[in-house]
PDB file of all heavy atoms in Angstrom:
ATOM      1  N   TYR A 590     120.875 140.536 106.637  1.00  0.00           N
ATOM      2  CA  TYR A 590     120.886 139.496 107.662  1.00  0.00           C
ATOM      3  C   TYR A 590     120.495 140.133 108.988  1.00  0.00           C
ATOM      4  O   TYR A 590     121.008 141.185 109.341  1.00  0.00           O
ATOM      5  CB  TYR A 590     122.305 138.907 107.766  1.00  0.00           C
ATOM      6  CG  TYR A 590     122.371 137.623 108.554  1.00  0.00           C
ATOM      7  CD1 TYR A 590     122.011 136.416 107.967  1.00  0.00           C
ATOM      8  CD2 TYR A 590     122.829 137.625 109.878  1.00  0.00           C
ATOM      9  CE1 TYR A 590     122.087 135.230 108.689  1.00  0.00           C
ATOM     10  CE2 TYR A 590     122.906 136.443 110.602  1.00  0.00           C
ATOM     11  CZ  TYR A 590     122.529 135.247 110.007  1.00  0.00           C
ATOM     12  OH  TYR A 590     122.594 134.073 110.705  1.00  0.00           O
ATOM     13  N   SER A 591     119.559 139.502 109.710  1.00  0.00           N
ATOM     14  CA  SER A 591     119.030 140.147 110.912  1.00  0.00           C
ATOM     15  C   SER A 591     119.273 139.288 112.158  1.00  0.00           C
ATOM     16  O   SER A 591     119.589 138.108 112.039  1.00  0.00           O
ATOM     17  CB  SER A 591     117.530 140.368 110.748  1.00  0.00           C
ATOM     18  OG  SER A 591     116.861 139.119 110.854  1.00  0.00           O
ATOM     19  N   PRO A 592     119.089 139.903 113.330  1.00  0.00           N
ATOM     20  CA  PRO A 592     119.237 139.116 114.571  1.00  0.00           C
ATOM     21  C   PRO A 592     118.286 137.922 114.602  1.00  0.00           C
ATOM     22  O   PRO A 592     118.605 136.881 115.170  1.00  0.00           O
ATOM     23  CB  PRO A 592     118.873 140.111 115.672  1.00  0.00           C
ATOM     24  CG  PRO A 592     119.075 141.448 115.072  1.00  0.00           C
ATOM     25  CD  PRO A 592     118.816 141.319 113.618  1.00  0.00           C
ATOM     26  N   GLU A 593     117.109 138.079 113.986  1.00  0.00           N
ATOM     27  CA  GLU A 593     116.182 136.943 113.947  1.00  0.00           C
ATOM     28  C   GLU A 593     116.759 135.800 113.125  1.00  0.00           C
ATOM     29  O   GLU A 593     116.621 134.628 113.479  1.00  0.00           O
ATOM     30  CB  GLU A 593     114.831 137.344 113.342  1.00  0.00           C
ATOM     31  CG  GLU A 593     113.949 138.128 114.281  1.00  0.00           C
ATOM     32  CD  GLU A 593     113.888 139.590 113.872  1.00  0.00           C
ATOM     33  OE1 GLU A 593     114.944 140.106 113.404  1.00  0.00           O
ATOM     34  OE2 GLU A 593     112.820 140.208 114.016  1.00  0.00           O
ATOM     35  N   ASP A 594     117.399 136.153 112.005  1.00  0.00           N
ATOM     36  CA  ASP A 594     118.033 135.107 111.193  1.00  0.00           C
ATOM     37  C   ASP A 594     119.065 134.366 112.033  1.00  0.00           C
ATOM     38  O   ASP A 594     119.161 133.141 112.002  1.00  0.00           O
ATOM     39  CB  ASP A 594     118.741 135.716 109.966  1.00  0.00           C
ATOM     40  CG  ASP A 594     117.740 136.203 108.920  1.00  0.00           C
ATOM     41  OD1 ASP A 594     116.734 135.502 108.703  1.00  0.00           O
ATOM     42  OD2 ASP A 594     117.981 137.275 108.335  1.00  0.00           O
ATOM     43  N   GLU A 595     119.834 135.155 112.805  1.00  0.00           N
ATOM     44  CA  GLU A 595     120.861 134.561 113.640  1.00  0.00           C
ATOM     45  C   GLU A 595     120.234 133.638 114.687  1.00  0.00           C
ATOM     46  O   GLU A 595     120.749 132.571 114.985  1.00  0.00           O
ATOM     47  CB  GLU A 595     121.685 135.679 114.310  1.00  0.00           C
ATOM     48  CG  GLU A 595     122.861 135.200 115.139  1.00  0.00           C
ATOM     49  CD  GLU A 595     123.909 134.403 114.355  1.00  0.00           C
ATOM     50  OE1 GLU A 595     124.011 134.584 113.112  1.00  0.00           O
ATOM     51  OE2 GLU A 595     124.619 133.587 114.986  1.00  0.00           O
ATOM     52  N   GLU A 596     119.071 134.059 115.201  1.00  0.00           N
ATOM     53  CA  GLU A 596     118.407 133.239 116.206  1.00  0.00           C
ATOM     54  C   GLU A 596     117.949 131.904 115.591  1.00  0.00           C
ATOM     55  O   GLU A 596     118.081 130.844 116.205  1.00  0.00           O
ATOM     56  CB  GLU A 596     117.211 133.971 116.822  1.00  0.00           C
ATOM     57  CG  GLU A 596     116.608 133.130 117.923  1.00  0.00           C
ATOM     58  CD  GLU A 596     115.498 133.821 118.700  1.00  0.00           C
ATOM     59  OE1 GLU A 596     115.319 135.034 118.539  1.00  0.00           O
ATOM     60  OE2 GLU A 596     114.840 133.110 119.472  1.00  0.00           O
ATOM     61  N   VAL A 597     117.439 131.972 114.372  1.00  0.00           N
ATOM     62  CA  VAL A 597     117.023 130.735 113.694  1.00  0.00           C
ATOM     63  C   VAL A 597     118.248 129.839 113.515  1.00  0.00           C
ATOM     64  O   VAL A 597     118.206 128.643 113.804  1.00  0.00           O
ATOM     65  CB  VAL A 597     116.391 131.035 112.305  1.00  0.00           C
ATOM     66  CG1 VAL A 597     116.009 129.735 111.617  1.00  0.00           C
ATOM     67  CG2 VAL A 597     115.187 131.933 112.449  1.00  0.00           C
ATOM     68  N   TYR A 598     119.329 130.449 113.061  1.00  0.00           N
ATOM     69  CA  TYR A 598     120.560 129.698 112.824  1.00  0.00           C
ATOM     70  C   TYR A 598     120.998 128.983 114.093  1.00  0.00           C
ATOM     71  O   TYR A 598     121.329 127.797 114.089  1.00  0.00           O
ATOM     72  CB  TYR A 598     121.656 130.656 112.341  1.00  0.00           C
ATOM     73  CG  TYR A 598     123.005 130.001 112.162  1.00  0.00           C
ATOM     74  CD1 TYR A 598     123.244 129.153 111.085  1.00  0.00           C
ATOM     75  CD2 TYR A 598     124.039 130.247 113.079  1.00  0.00           C
ATOM     76  CE1 TYR A 598     124.479 128.538 110.922  1.00  0.00           C
ATOM     77  CE2 TYR A 598     125.271 129.636 112.916  1.00  0.00           C
ATOM     78  CZ  TYR A 598     125.485 128.796 111.853  1.00  0.00           C
ATOM     79  OH  TYR A 598     126.707 128.190 111.686  1.00  0.00           O
ATOM     80  N   ARG A 599     120.923 129.710 115.212  1.00  0.00           N
ATOM     81  CA  ARG A 599     121.354 129.112 116.474  1.00  0.00           C
ATOM     82  C   ARG A 599     120.377 128.027 116.945  1.00  0.00           C
ATOM     83  O   ARG A 599     120.775 127.031 117.515  1.00  0.00           O
ATOM     84  CB  ARG A 599     121.534 130.184 117.545  1.00  0.00           C
ATOM     85  CG  ARG A 599     122.999 130.626 117.610  1.00  0.00           C
ATOM     86  CD  ARG A 599     123.255 131.536 118.778  1.00  0.00           C
ATOM     87  NE  ARG A 599     122.935 132.908 118.397  1.00  0.00           N
ATOM     88  CZ  ARG A 599     122.189 133.732 119.116  1.00  0.00           C
ATOM     89  NH1 ARG A 599     121.665 133.337 120.260  1.00  0.00           N
ATOM     90  NH2 ARG A 599     121.949 134.954 118.701  1.00  0.00           N
ATOM     91  N   THR A 600     119.098 128.247 116.680  1.00  0.00           N
ATOM     92  CA  THR A 600     118.102 127.249 117.091  1.00  0.00           C
ATOM     93  C   THR A 600     118.296 125.941 116.321  1.00  0.00           C
ATOM     94  O   THR A 600     118.140 124.858 116.872  1.00  0.00           O
ATOM     95  CB  THR A 600     116.671 127.779 116.848  1.00  0.00           C
ATOM     96  OG1 THR A 600     116.566 129.053 117.452  1.00  0.00           O
ATOM     97  CG2 THR A 600     115.636 126.843 117.445  1.00  0.00           C
ATOM     98  N   ILE A 601     118.625 126.072 115.064  1.00  0.00           N
ATOM     99  CA  ILE A 601     118.856 124.856 114.258  1.00  0.00           C
ATOM    100  C   ILE A 601     120.082 124.115 114.777  1.00  0.00           C
ATOM    101  O   ILE A 601     120.114 122.882 114.834  1.00  0.00           O
ATOM    102  CB  ILE A 601     119.021 125.203 112.751  1.00  0.00           C
ATOM    103  CG1 ILE A 601     117.728 125.803 112.201  1.00  0.00           C
ATOM    104  CG2 ILE A 601     119.420 123.957 111.948  1.00  0.00           C
ATOM    105  CD1 ILE A 601     117.848 126.364 110.805  1.00  0.00           C
TER     106      ILE A 601
END
Side-chain angles (χ1 to χ4, degrees):
Y590 193 80
S591 73
E593 283 107 324
D594 288 320
E595 184 60 25
E596 184 174 349
V597 178
Y598 176 74
R599 265 188 275 132
T600 308
I601 296 171

